[in-house]
Amino acid sequence: MKSDPKTARLIPMRWRVIGMVPVCVLILGFAVFAVTGRMIEAQSKEPVFPTAAELTTVAAPTPSFAEEVIRLVNMQRAAADQPPLKQAVQLSTAAAGHSTRMATADFFGHCDPGPPQADYVSRIVAAGYTNWNALAENIAAGYLSPADVVAGWMASVGHRDNILSSSLYETGVGYYYQANDQSTVRLDNNGDCVYETLNQGPYRRYWTQDFGRRSSVWPMVIEGEASQTAALNVDLYLYRPTTPSQMRFRNEDAAWSAWQPFAMTARWATSPGNGPKTIYAEVYNASTTYVVNDTIYLNAPLPVSPAVGISNTPTAVSLIWMHQAADLRYDIYRAADHPYFAPGSDDSNLVGAVNSPPADGSAVTFLDSTAVLGRSYFYLARATAGDGQTIADSNRTGRVAFVLVPGSQQ
């Protein structure tokens, strides 16, 4: 259950509310330092191409409450035409530490009473977040879920301003659950790190979200900083350095792509196969090259075998099936005279592909206009899953022996 609404208190000027509504503080500072944003983390995966029947499914990690808060916050930012925040390990460390301290040391506020006493700026810097230009923090207690706490913050002007700020590029979230929390929580009524109000709570669930921006750090964000994606084609957002001119990308330890003009958004394909995927971007900014990266877990469902029907048109053989969301694309194979062909073998031809299927549940139509009049053909549609490598074959359809006459149908 959430905290008793009767315990909710609003402290003017610092946007702090106790209990049902969260608290926030925003402090902006400015500094200029000559540092290069460089974050390197490589992974390698050997390519394999299993069928759905051969694949041993490994469950993807469940997103944590902290990851889910970041995803929901970035959804709010997208709705307000703001770019996504990138998770920074230093901010995550600071936020997690503060949520733990609030729960275990029986206080609720931005200042840790210690010893030693520490405000949120000191805590964030101590976690290694240095050369910062802007910092902010939201905290909350008593909310049951990430959706609840984000909704609470968005309903409070100060917290909402932090979440939607265009001055902040990075974030980190900490959540701590204390099942045996007691009515011994202390409250700081005016932000002076003196906890005057005693014996509040229990709140059990403690939340912290820290925000920041650093000099010469220009993050890249995959899919709005979601922890998982169902398909290997992903959207990238790159924060803009002062004078960027070119950019290029690579997956893990693969080769770099060709240089291309800088743009703040890009579409990119991860390496195939389910699992953690790291994408790197190299941005040339005047005389400096920035290398940044982000990681996402590719968690594509198994492909669905198409159920293909066949018919003739006056000029082609027509195949039709219903598109399933789990299928990323389709390759169409054809063999003459016999149905027992192996796709890609010498007795079959790849006659086409459907790389941009329609909406889920819509019909996919493929016309084979290369069919020779009077011949018999057999067809197979091979679906590839969102991981870019797991496949599922359709039924083999035929046998169609036809003679096409212009202006007629069979």
Side-chain angles (χ1 to χ4, degrees):
M1 297 180 62
K2 292 183 180 179
S3 305
D4 186 345
K6 295 179 181 178
T7 66
R9 292 180 175 85
L10 176 64
I11 308 300
M13 300 302 294
R14 294 180 63 85
W15 296 105
R16 188 175 65 233
V17 182
I18 307 304
M20 289 282 294
V21 185
V23 297
C24 74
V25 170
L26 172 63
I27 292 181
L28 298 177
F30 297 90
V32 178
F33 299 92
V35 298
T36 298
R38 185 179 179 89
M39 297 173 282
I40 300 296
E41 178 181 343
Q43 296 185 10
S44 178
K45 186 176 180 66
E46 292 296 324
V48 292
F49 301 95
T51 65
E54 296 168 336
L55 188 68
T56 301
T57 303
V58 178
T62 301
S64 67
F65 271 17
E67 290 171 331
E68 183 66 3
V69 167
I70 294 174
R71 185 185 73 84
L72 293 171
V73 160
N74 278 337
M75 288 179 62
Q76 295 291 339
R77 288 177 64 91
D81 294 325
Q82 291 295 332
L85 299 170
K86 168 69 182 294
Q87 183 175 9
V89 62
Q90 301 92 336
L91 293 177
S92 296
T93 299
H98 191 57
S99 290
T100 301
R101 278 286 297 165
M102 287 193 296
T104 58
D106 289 330
F107 71 92
F108 182 67
H110 292 279
C111 180
D112 187 331
Q117 188 179 103
D119 62 17
Y120 80 95
V121 174
S122 300
R123 290 188 280 102
I124 291 173
V125 172
Y129 197 81
T130 57
N131 298 323
W132 57 271
N133 290 342
L135 294 176
E137 181 174 85
N138 288 351
I139 63 174
Y143 288 92
L144 294 178
S145 70
D148 289 338
V149 75
V150 172
W153 281 333
M154 289 299 294
S156 172
V157 175
H159 308 79
R160 185 177 186 276
D161 287 347
N162 284 349
I163 287 173
L164 302 182
S165 173
S166 61
S167 298
L168 302 166
Y169 297 172
E170 298 176 300
T171 192
V173 173
Y175 168 75
Y176 191 89
Y177 175 66
Q178 184 166 258
N180 62 347
D181 202 17
Q182 304 296 315
S183 299
T184 54
V185 181
R186 298 166 289 162
L187 309 178
D188 177 5
N189 294 329
N190 56 13
D192 62 357
C193 212
V194 177
Y195 284 79
E196 303 94 348
T197 302
L198 309 178
N199 301 323
Q200 301 299 300
Y203 301 124
R204 297 188 177 86
R205 296 166 176 84
Y206 293 82
W207 307 81
T208 303
Q209 182 168 20
D210 288 326
F211 307 83
R213 187 181 84 246
R214 290 180 285 182
S215 300
S216 299
V217 175
W218 314 102
M220 179 183 71
V221 184
I222 304 174
E223 287 291 315
E225 202 65 346
S227 61
Q228 300 182 16
T229 182
L232 54 74
N233 295 317
V234 293
D235 290 320
L236 310 179
Y237 183 89
L238 292 90
Y239 279 85
R240 183 185 184 91
T242 307
T243 55
S245 58
Q246 298 182 85
M247 64 182 184
R248 61 180 182 172
F249 303 97
R250 69 178 173 90
N251 294 321
E252 288 89 28
D253 56 356
W256 286 102
S257 69
W259 286 100
Q260 61 190 75
F262 178 84
M264 296 178 73
T265 59
R267 188 77 168 163
W268 183 256
T270 72
S271 58
N274 282 344
K277 303 296 174 182
T278 300
I279 300 172
Y280 294 88
E282 192 171 47
V283 178
Y284 183 71
N285 181 41
S287 60
T288 303
T289 299
Y290 295 91
V291 180
V292 293
N293 74 74
D294 198 11
T295 299
I296 194 167
Y297 195 98
L298 178 55
N299 184 25
L302 295 177
V304 178
S305 297
V308 177
I310 190 168
S311 64
N312 292 345
T313 75
T315 58
V317 177
S318 176
L319 306 179
I320 188 168
W321 64 94
M322 303 306 291
H323 173 58
Q324 304 296 321
D327 297 338
L328 177 68
R329 69 172 188 270
Y330 303 95
D331 295 315
I332 294 83
Y333 292 87
R334 183 188 73 191
D337 302 325
H338 68 90
Y340 305 109
F341 63 89
S345 63
D346 292 339
D347 59 351
S348 70
N349 296 315
L350 176 64
V351 293
V354 179
N355 293 314
S356 299
D360 183 29
S362 300
V364 180
T365 300
F366 176 81
L367 297 177
D368 180 12
S369 59
T370 67
V372 178
L373 301 183
R375 296 288 301 272
S376 298
Y377 292 103
F378 291 89
Y379 294 86
L380 176 147
R382 170 167 286 178
T384 301
D387 66 357
Q389 68 174 24
T390 310
I391 58 174
D393 290 341
S394 74
N395 55 303
R396 286 167 169 78
T397 186
R399 170 177 212 177
V400 180
F402 63 97
V403 176
L404 298 180
V405 178
S408 68
Q409 295 188 4
Q410 298 183 15

